[in-house]
Amino acid sequence: MSRRRQAVLALIAITAFTALAACSRAQEASAPAEEPIRTVEVADVTEGVLDEGVTLSGKVKGHIEVPILPKASGRIESIAVAVGSRVRPGDLLIQLETKDVIAQVHQAEAALRAAEAGRESAEAQTTTQILGAEQAVKQAEEGVLQAEKGLAAAENARDLAKKNAERLRTLFENGLASQVELEQAENQLKQAEAGLQQAKSAHENAKKALEVATENLKIARERVAVKAANAQVEQARAGLEAARRLLENMRVTAPVGGTVASLPVSVGDMVSPQVVVATIVDMNPAIVTVDVPEQAYRSVAVGDPVTVAVSGERFQGKVSKKDLTPNPQTKAYRVEIEVPNPEGKLVSGLSADVTFAPKGAKKTLLIPAEAYMASAKGGEGHVMVYEDGIVRERKVTVGRMTTNYVEVTSGLKAGEKVVIKGQYLLKDGDPVKLQGSEGEEDQKAGGGKT
């Protein structure tokens, strides 16, 4: 092969290689580059009042928030719950040691048995006393009857002796009876009168004996000893009940249902009725308390809608309680706002910004101002709506605007999510992932892209 032919072939090869390379570069240039999946931040479309109204600082608490104090002193034997446990009324929280209290219960039971035995003995003695007193009354009544008969006989004897003495005196004066007969009759009268005095004295003594016997029977029937024994039984029974109640109080139970929010004690700790051993709360609904100054008092009413902001998140609530008298120190009125909290996002102790809407204000759809992309035509613009890993461009009409929010009159509905960061780099249908999400949202974004 001549040199000339070799040169021609080499030139042809170089030309072909150059053409192929150029063609390859042209194809690469014409193929579209794969765009990265962008990360965005979104916010909810909410219902609210654009007017700012009155904003005050408050504190979150549960609608039930009960500190638990034991009813007795003792050392903790066991703890039946943990922080976060759900409890119902009557559930055991803490068990205190019961050894010493059980001994007190046994001692009180023995004291009650002894008192009951004493009452039985007193009843038996009282029954015997009543029988004896009744017999004494019968004897005394018989003695009175006998004394009355003796008194009647003595009165008859005195009357006969008196008549006989008078008869003999008349006969003596008429010379029909002797001096001896008259003196005998007068002596008999004196003896009869002395017998009558003795009968009267015996009668009085018999009546007094009856009075004493009757009084003794009355006393016996009052059963004083039995009453005292009954009192001792009741006292012993009360002591037993107190010991049993103390034993029951060694169980610290939940007075209300809810969640154990704190448990600042451990097994072995000594506690007393002055020591809080647990706190039970129920955070659904949550309660936000706020002090309303005097100048804003009339603008707040029970049932009013309220916006509550906690850690950058907004919640809707309503006024549930409003004090009628101010705090003596602050001169402010305590107001409580009830906020639904089914997901438990609000916990006790958080600070909150509470905004009371102005009277007569109507709710509208609101979006953060950074989500709105204005157009050349006033009152119209666009937003990027997030839907399952992709964004959709949505035309909206708007009303009033503030530094933070835009009032939307059409194009959106409550609960939708709009992009507030990164929307200017997106177009309709682009796949995206949410800021801070790596799992499910990445998968949704990948699926949207394909």
Side-chain angles (χ1 to χ4, degrees):
M1 182 181 297
S2 64
R3 292 181 177 177
R4 184 177 181 181
R5 184 176 177 83
Q6 291 177 350
V8 171
L9 290 174
L11 179 61
I12 291 172
I14 292 171
T15 302
F17 178 78
T18 303
L20 288 172
C23 181
S24 177
R25 286 194 297 272
Q27 289 178 350
E28 291 178 358
S30 64
E34 183 177 350
E35 296 183 2
I37 298 177
R38 300 188 183 279
T39 300
V40 297
E41 186 176 341
V42 298
D44 290 333
V45 179
T46 60
E47 286 186 318
V49 178
L50 188 63
D51 296 325
E52 293 185 357
V54 178
T55 300
L56 300 169
S57 296
K59 282 288 185 182
V60 178
K61 68 175 185 176
H63 78 279
I64 293 177
E65 196 160 311
V66 181
I68 309 300
L69 292 86
K71 296 180 180 179
S73 299
R75 190 178 301 279
I76 295 177
E77 184 177 83
S78 62
I79 298 176
V81 295
V83 173
S85 297
R86 290 287 301 174
V87 295
R88 295 173 297 180
D91 283 355
L92 177 65
L93 303 177
I94 292 172
Q95 177 66 60
L96 303 182
E97 292 180 351
T98 59
K99 182 178 179 181
D100 292 341
V101 181
I102 290 175
Q104 293 180 28
V105 172
H106 291 163
Q107 183 177 3
E109 289 173 342
L112 177 59
R113 289 193 296 270
E116 289 174 340
R119 178 175 62 183
E120 291 178 0
S121 176
E123 287 177 344
Q125 291 177 0
T126 299
T127 301
T128 301
Q129 289 174 354
I130 292 174
L131 292 175
E134 289 175 343
Q135 184 65 29
V137 168
K138 289 181 180 179
Q139 291 177 354
E141 289 173 343
E142 183 65 26
V144 170
L145 289 176
Q146 294 299 325
E148 287 176 347
K149 290 179 180 179
L151 178 61
E155 287 176 343
N156 288 332
R158 190 273 315 269
D159 292 342
L160 289 174
K162 184 177 180 181
K163 289 180 180 180
N164 186 49
E166 290 176 350
R167 182 178 62 81
L168 288 174
R169 182 176 295 279
T170 302
L171 291 175
F172 177 75
E173 290 175 350
N174 293 324
L176 298 176
S178 64
Q179 180 71 31
V180 173
E181 290 176 330
L182 176 60
E183 289 178 353
Q184 288 177 346
E186 288 178 346
N187 288 334
Q188 289 176 352
L189 175 60
K190 290 180 180 179
Q191 290 176 356
E193 288 178 344
L196 177 60
Q197 291 298 321
Q198 291 178 352
K200 287 181 178 179
S201 178
H203 184 253
E204 289 297 324
N205 291 336
K207 290 196 296 182
K208 288 181 180 179
L210 178 59
E211 290 177 358
V212 171
T214 302
E215 182 65 22
N216 289 338
L217 177 60
K218 179 181 178 182
I219 293 173
R221 285 175 174 173
E222 287 179 352
R223 304 170 67 87
V224 175
V226 174
K227 290 180 179 178
N230 283 333
Q232 291 177 348
V233 169
E234 290 303 318
Q235 184 178 4
R237 185 174 287 120
L240 176 58
E241 181 63 26
R244 288 174 174 170
R245 191 180 306 113
L246 179 59
L247 180 61
E248 179 62 25
N249 289 342
M250 304 309 278
R251 288 169 46 88
V252 182
T253 58
V256 296
T259 301
V260 178
S262 68
L263 200 62
V265 292
S266 302
V267 173
D269 287 352
M270 285 293 299
V271 296
S272 68
Q274 291 75 40
V275 176
V276 175
V277 297
T279 303
I280 295 177
V281 301
D282 192 337
M283 295 302 300
N284 187 29
I287 300 296
V288 179
T289 59
V290 61
D291 291 331
V292 176
E294 180 180 354
Q295 57 270 28
Y297 181 76
R298 295 187 180 278
S299 65
V300 177
V302 173
D304 282 354
V306 178
T307 300
V308 177
V310 178
S311 301
E313 189 169 359
R314 289 156 56 92
F315 302 87
Q316 297 302 315
K318 65 178 181 180
V319 177
S320 60
K321 182 180 177 182
K322 173 184 174 183
D323 282 359
L324 300 179
T325 56
N327 182 297
Q329 284 73 40
T330 64
K331 307 302 181 183
Y333 294 81
R334 176 60 56 90
V335 171
E336 293 186 358
I337 296 94
E338 184 178 294
V339 183
N341 187 34
E343 298 179 2
K345 292 182 177 180
L346 299 176
V347 297
S348 183
L350 291 179
S351 297
D353 290 327
V354 180
T355 301
F356 298 93
K359 292 297 182 182
K362 295 182 178 180
K363 287 186 176 182
T364 59
L365 291 181
L366 300 177
I367 60 173
E370 56 265 36
Y372 178 64
M373 297 180 289
S375 64
K377 186 176 181 181
E380 293 184 359
H382 298 81
V383 295
M384 287 296 183
V385 180
Y386 174 82
E387 297 178 353
D388 294 329
I390 62 174
V391 291
R392 295 296 183 187
E393 185 173 356
R394 187 85 61 84
K395 180 180 178 180
V396 294
T397 57
V398 299
R400 297 173 297 165
M401 301 183 185
T402 67
T403 303
N404 298 319
Y405 293 97
V406 175
E407 184 181 59
V408 178
T409 57
S410 67
L412 291 172
K413 59 183 179 181
E416 291 187 301
K417 296 183 182 297
V418 293
V419 180
I420 61 174
K421 185 177 181 181
Q423 68 269 35
Y424 290 99
L425 301 177
L426 301 172
K427 61 181 182 297
D428 187 73
D430 279 354
V432 295
K433 61 181 179 180
L434 296 182
Q435 182 177 349
S437 175
E438 296 296 338
E440 182 180 355
E441 296 300 338
D442 284 351
Q443 293 174 4
K444 290 179 180 178
K449 184 174 179 59
T450 58

